[in-house]
Coordinates of all heavy atoms in Angstrom, one line a residue:
P1 N -8.5 -8.1 -3.5 CA -9.1 -7.3 -4.5 C -10.1 -8.1 -5.3 O -10.1 -9.3 -5.4 CB -7.9 -6.9 -5.4 CG -6.7 -7.5 -4.8 CD -7.1 -8.3 -3.7
T2 N -11.0 -7.3 -6.0 CA -12.0 -7.9 -6.9 C -11.3 -8.3 -8.2 O -10.1 -8.0 -8.4 CB -13.1 -6.9 -7.2 OG1 -12.6 -5.8 -7.8 CG2 -13.8 -6.5 -5.9
A3 N -12.0 -8.9 -9.1 CA -11.5 -9.2 -10.4 C -10.9 -8.0 -11.2 O -10.0 -8.1 -12.0 CB -12.5 -9.9 -11.3
G4 N -11.4 -6.8 -10.8 CA -10.9 -5.6 -11.5 C -9.6 -5.1 -10.8 O -9.1 -4.1 -11.3
G5 N -9.1 -5.8 -9.8 CA -7.9 -5.4 -9.2 C -8.0 -4.3 -8.1 O -7.0 -3.7 -7.7
R6 N -9.2 -4.0 -7.7 CA -9.4 -3.0 -6.7 C -10.0 -3.6 -5.4 O -10.8 -4.5 -5.5 CB -10.4 -1.9 -7.2 CG -10.6 -0.7 -6.3 CD -11.3 0.4 -7.0 NE -12.6 -0.1 -7.5 CZ -13.4 0.6 -8.3 NH1 -13.0 1.8 -8.7 NH2 -14.6 0.2 -8.6
V7 N -9.5 -3.0 -4.3 CA -10.1 -3.5 -3.0 C -11.4 -2.6 -2.8 O -11.3 -1.4 -2.8 CB -9.1 -3.2 -1.8 CG1 -9.7 -3.5 -0.5 CG2 -7.9 -4.1 -2.0
N8 N -12.5 -3.3 -2.5 CA -13.7 -2.7 -2.3 C -14.2 -2.9 -0.9 O -14.0 -4.0 -0.3 CB -14.8 -3.2 -3.3 CG -14.5 -2.7 -4.7 OD1 -14.2 -1.6 -4.9 ND2 -14.7 -3.7 -5.6
G9 N -14.8 -1.9 -0.2 CA -15.3 -2.1 1.1 C -16.6 -1.4 1.2 O -16.9 -0.4 0.5
T10 N -17.5 -1.9 2.2 CA -18.8 -1.3 2.4 C -18.9 -0.7 3.8 O -20.0 -0.3 4.1 CB -19.9 -2.3 2.1 OG1 -19.7 -3.4 3.0 CG2 -19.9 -2.8 0.7
V11 N -17.9 -0.6 4.5 CA -17.9 0.0 5.8 C -16.8 1.1 5.9 O -15.8 0.9 5.3 CB -17.8 -1.0 7.0 CG1 -18.9 -1.9 7.0 CG2 -16.4 -1.7 6.9
S12 N -17.1 2.1 6.6 CA -16.0 3.2 6.8 C -15.9 3.5 8.3 O -17.0 3.6 8.9 CB -16.4 4.4 6.0 OG -15.3 5.3 6.1
P13 N -14.8 3.5 8.9 CA -13.5 3.3 8.2 C -13.2 1.9 7.8 O -13.6 0.9 8.5 CB -12.5 3.8 9.3 CG -13.1 3.6 10.6 CD -14.6 3.8 10.3
L14 N -12.6 1.7 6.7 CA -12.2 0.4 6.2 C -10.7 0.1 6.5 O -9.9 1.0 6.2 CB -12.4 0.3 4.6 CG -11.9 -0.9 3.9 CD1 -12.7 -2.1 4.3 CD2 -11.9 -0.7 2.4
L15 N -10.4 -1.0 7.1 CA -9.0 -1.4 7.4 C -8.6 -2.4 6.3 O -9.2 -3.4 6.1 CB -8.9 -2.0 8.8 CG -7.6 -2.6 9.2 CD1 -6.6 -1.5 9.3 CD2 -7.6 -3.4 10.4
V16 N -7.4 -2.0 5.7 CA -6.8 -2.9 4.7 C -5.4 -3.2 5.2 O -4.7 -2.3 5.5 CB -6.8 -2.3 3.3 CG1 -6.1 -3.2 2.3 CG2 -8.1 -1.8 2.8
S17 N -5.1 -4.5 5.3 CA -3.8 -5.0 5.7 C -3.0 -5.4 4.4 O -3.5 -6.0 3.5 CB -3.8 -6.1 6.6 OG -4.5 -5.8 7.8
F18 N -1.7 -4.9 4.4 CA -0.8 -5.2 3.3 C 0.3 -6.1 3.8 O 0.9 -5.9 4.8 CB -0.2 -3.9 2.7 CG -1.1 -3.1 2.0 CD1 -1.9 -2.2 2.7 CD2 -1.2 -3.1 0.6 CE1 -2.8 -1.4 2.1 CE2 -2.1 -2.3 0.0 CZ -2.9 -1.4 0.7
T19 N 0.6 -7.2 3.0 CA 1.7 -8.1 3.4 C 2.6 -8.3 2.2 O 2.1 -8.5 1.1 CB 1.1 -9.5 3.8 OG1 0.2 -9.3 4.8 CG2 2.2 -10.4 4.2
T20 N 3.9 -8.1 2.4 CA 4.9 -8.3 1.3 C 5.5 -9.7 1.3 O 5.5 -10.3 2.4 CB 6.0 -7.2 1.4 OG1 6.6 -7.4 2.7 CG2 5.4 -5.8 1.3
P21 N 6.0 -10.1 0.2 CA 6.7 -11.4 0.2 C 8.0 -11.3 1.0 O 8.5 -10.2 1.3 CB 7.0 -11.7 -1.3 CG 6.9 -10.4 -2.0 CD 6.0 -9.5 -1.1
A22 N 8.6 -12.5 1.3 CA 9.9 -12.5 2.0 C 11.0 -11.8 1.2 O 11.0 -11.9 -0.1 CB 10.3 -14.0 2.2
E23 N 11.9 -11.2 1.9 CA 13.1 -10.6 1.2 C 14.1 -11.6 0.7 O 14.1 -12.7 1.2 CB 13.8 -9.7 2.2 CG 13.1 -8.5 2.7 CD 14.0 -7.6 3.6 OE1 15.2 -7.6 3.4 OE2 13.5 -7.0 4.5
D24 N 14.8 -11.1 -0.3 CA 16.0 -11.9 -0.8 C 17.1 -11.7 0.2 O 17.6 -10.6 0.3 CB 16.3 -11.4 -2.2 CG 17.5 -12.1 -2.8 OD1 18.2 -12.9 -2.1 OD2 17.7 -12.0 -4.0
P25 N 17.6 -12.7 0.8 CA 18.7 -12.5 1.8 C 20.0 -12.0 1.2 O 20.8 -11.4 1.9 CB 18.8 -13.9 2.5 CG 18.3 -14.9 1.5 CD 17.2 -14.1 0.7
L26 N 20.2 -12.2 -0.1 CA 21.4 -11.7 -0.7 C 21.3 -10.3 -1.1 O 22.3 -9.6 -1.4 CB 21.8 -12.6 -1.9 CG 22.0 -14.1 -1.6 CD1 22.3 -14.8 -2.9 CD2 23.2 -14.2 -0.6
C27 N 20.1 -9.8 -1.2 CA 19.8 -8.4 -1.6 C 18.7 -7.8 -0.7 O 17.6 -7.6 -1.1 CB 19.4 -8.3 -3.1 SG 20.7 -8.8 -4.2
P28 N 19.1 -7.5 0.6 CA 18.0 -7.1 1.5 C 17.4 -5.7 1.1 O 18.1 -4.9 0.4 CB 18.7 -7.0 2.8 CG 20.2 -6.9 2.5 CD 20.4 -7.6 1.2
V29 N 16.2 -5.5 1.5 CA 15.5 -4.3 1.2 C 16.1 -3.2 2.1 O 16.3 -3.3 3.3 CB 14.0 -4.4 1.5 CG1 13.3 -3.1 1.4 CG2 13.4 -5.4 0.5
N30 N 16.4 -2.0 1.5 CA 16.9 -0.9 2.2 C 15.8 0.0 2.7 O 15.9 0.7 3.8 CB 17.8 0.0 1.3 CG 19.1 -0.7 0.9 OD1 19.6 -1.6 1.6 ND2 19.5 -0.5 -0.3
E31 N 14.7 0.0 2.0 CA 13.5 0.9 2.4 C 12.3 0.3 1.8 O 12.2 -0.1 0.6 CB 13.8 2.3 1.9 CG 12.6 3.2 2.3 CD 12.8 4.7 1.8 OE1 13.2 4.8 0.7 OE2 12.6 5.5 2.6
Y32 N 11.2 0.3 2.6 CA 9.8 0.2 2.1 C 9.2 1.5 2.3 O 9.1 2.0 3.4 CB 9.1 -0.8 3.0 CG 9.5 -2.3 2.9 CD1 10.4 -2.8 3.8 CD2 9.0 -3.1 1.8 CE1 10.7 -4.2 3.7 CE2 9.4 -4.4 1.7 CZ 10.3 -4.9 2.7 OH 10.7 -6.2 2.6
L33 N 8.7 2.1 1.3 CA 8.0 3.4 1.4 C 6.5 3.2 1.0 O 6.2 2.9 -0.1 CB 8.6 4.5 0.5 CG 7.9 5.8 0.5 CD1 8.0 6.4 1.9 CD2 8.6 6.7 -0.6
W34 N 5.7 3.3 2.0 CA 4.2 3.2 1.8 C 3.6 4.6 1.7 O 3.8 5.4 2.6 CB 3.6 2.5 3.0 CG 4.0 1.0 3.0 CD1 5.0 0.5 3.8 CD2 3.3 -0.1 2.3 NE1 5.0 -0.9 3.6 CE2 4.0 -1.2 2.7 CE3 2.3 -0.2 1.4 CZ2 3.7 -2.5 2.2 CZ3 1.9 -1.4 1.0 CH2 2.6 -2.6 1.4
E35 N 2.8 4.9 0.7 CA 2.2 6.2 0.5 C 0.7 6.0 0.1 O 0.4 4.9 -0.4 CB 2.9 7.0 -0.5 CG 4.3 7.3 -0.2 CD 5.1 7.9 -1.4 OE1 5.3 7.2 -2.4 OE2 5.4 9.1 -1.3
R36 N -0.1 7.0 0.4 CA -1.5 7.0 -0.1 C -1.9 8.3 -0.6 O -1.2 9.3 -0.3 CB -2.4 6.6 1.1 CG -2.3 7.6 2.2 CD -3.5 7.6 3.1 NE -4.6 8.3 2.5 CZ -5.7 8.5 3.1 NH1 -5.9 8.1 4.3 NH2 -6.7 9.1 2.5
R37 N -2.9 8.3 -1.4 CA -3.5 9.6 -1.8 C -5.0 9.4 -2.1 O -5.5 8.3 -2.4 CB -2.8 10.1 -3.1 CG -3.1 9.3 -4.3 CD -2.4 9.9 -5.5 NE -2.7 9.1 -6.7 CZ -2.8 9.6 -7.9 NH1 -2.7 10.9 -8.1 NH2 -3.1 8.8 -9.0
N38 N -5.7 10.5 -2.0 CA -7.1 10.5 -2.3 C -7.2 10.6 -3.9 O -6.5 11.4 -4.5 CB -7.8 11.7 -1.7 CG -7.9 11.5 -0.2 OD1 -7.8 10.4 0.4 ND2 -8.0 12.7 0.5
L39 N -8.1 9.9 -4.5 CA -8.3 9.9 -5.9 C -9.4 10.9 -6.2 O -10.3 11.1 -5.4 CB -8.6 8.6 -6.5 CG -7.5 7.5 -6.4 CD1 -7.9 6.2 -6.9 CD2 -6.3 8.0 -7.3
P40 N -9.3 11.6 -7.3 CA -8.6 11.3 -8.5 C -7.2 11.9 -8.5 O -6.3 11.5 -9.3 CB -9.4 11.9 -9.6 CG -10.1 13.0 -9.1 CD -10.4 12.7 -7.6
S41 N -6.9 13.0 -7.7 CA -5.6 13.7 -8.0 C -5.0 14.2 -6.7 O -4.2 15.2 -6.8 CB -5.8 14.8 -8.9 OG -6.7 15.8 -8.4
G42 N -5.2 13.7 -5.5 CA -4.6 14.2 -4.3 C -3.1 13.9 -4.3 O -2.6 13.0 -5.0
P43 N -2.4 14.6 -3.4 CA -1.0 14.4 -3.3 C -0.7 13.1 -2.5 O -1.6 12.7 -1.6 CB -0.5 15.6 -2.6 CG -1.6 16.1 -1.8 CD -2.8 15.7 -2.6
Y44 N 0.4 12.4 -2.7 CA 0.8 11.3 -1.9 C 1.3 11.7 -0.5 O 2.0 12.7 -0.4 CB 1.9 10.5 -2.6 CG 1.4 9.5 -3.6 CD1 1.5 9.9 -5.0 CD2 0.7 8.3 -3.3 CE1 1.0 9.0 -6.0 CE2 0.3 7.5 -4.3 CZ 0.4 7.8 -5.6 OH 0.0 7.0 -6.6
T45 N 0.9 11.0 0.5 CA 1.4 11.2 1.9 C 1.9 9.9 2.4 O 1.3 8.8 2.0 CB 0.3 11.8 2.8 OG1 -0.8 10.9 2.9 CG2 -0.1 13.2 2.4
E46 N 2.9 9.9 3.2 CA 3.5 8.7 3.7 C 2.6 8.0 4.8 O 2.1 8.7 5.7 CB 4.9 9.0 4.3 CG 5.7 7.7 4.7 CD 7.1 8.1 5.1 OE1 7.7 8.9 4.5 OE2 7.5 7.5 6.1
I47 N 2.4 6.7 4.7 CA 1.6 6.0 5.7 C 2.4 4.9 6.4 O 2.0 4.4 7.4 CB 0.3 5.3 5.1 CG1 0.7 4.3 4.0 CG2 -0.6 6.4 4.7 CD1 -0.5 3.5 3.5

């Protein structure tokens, strides 16, 4: 992301990869739910 905290791209389609930190082995993750929406007010859909 830029200093403003937003990912900016100048080509479309733009591919953005997301990486999460390692899990806590004592409290494993039950679910990762990734969603996206079109701004300013689109509904979230699962990705």
Side-chain angles (χ1 to χ4, degrees):
T2 62
R6 183 171 60 190
V7 173
N8 293 315
T10 57
V11 296
S12 186
L14 174 69
L15 175 66
V16 180
S17 295
F18 291 83
T19 304
T20 60
E23 289 186 31
D24 179 347
L26 299 177
C27 294
V29 172
N30 298 327
E31 180 181 45
Y32 292 98
L33 177 60
W34 292 95
E35 299 172 291
R36 62 159 282 181
R37 70 178 181 144
N38 295 334
L39 291 175
S41 61
Y44 279 102
T45 58
E46 189 174 318
I47 59 173

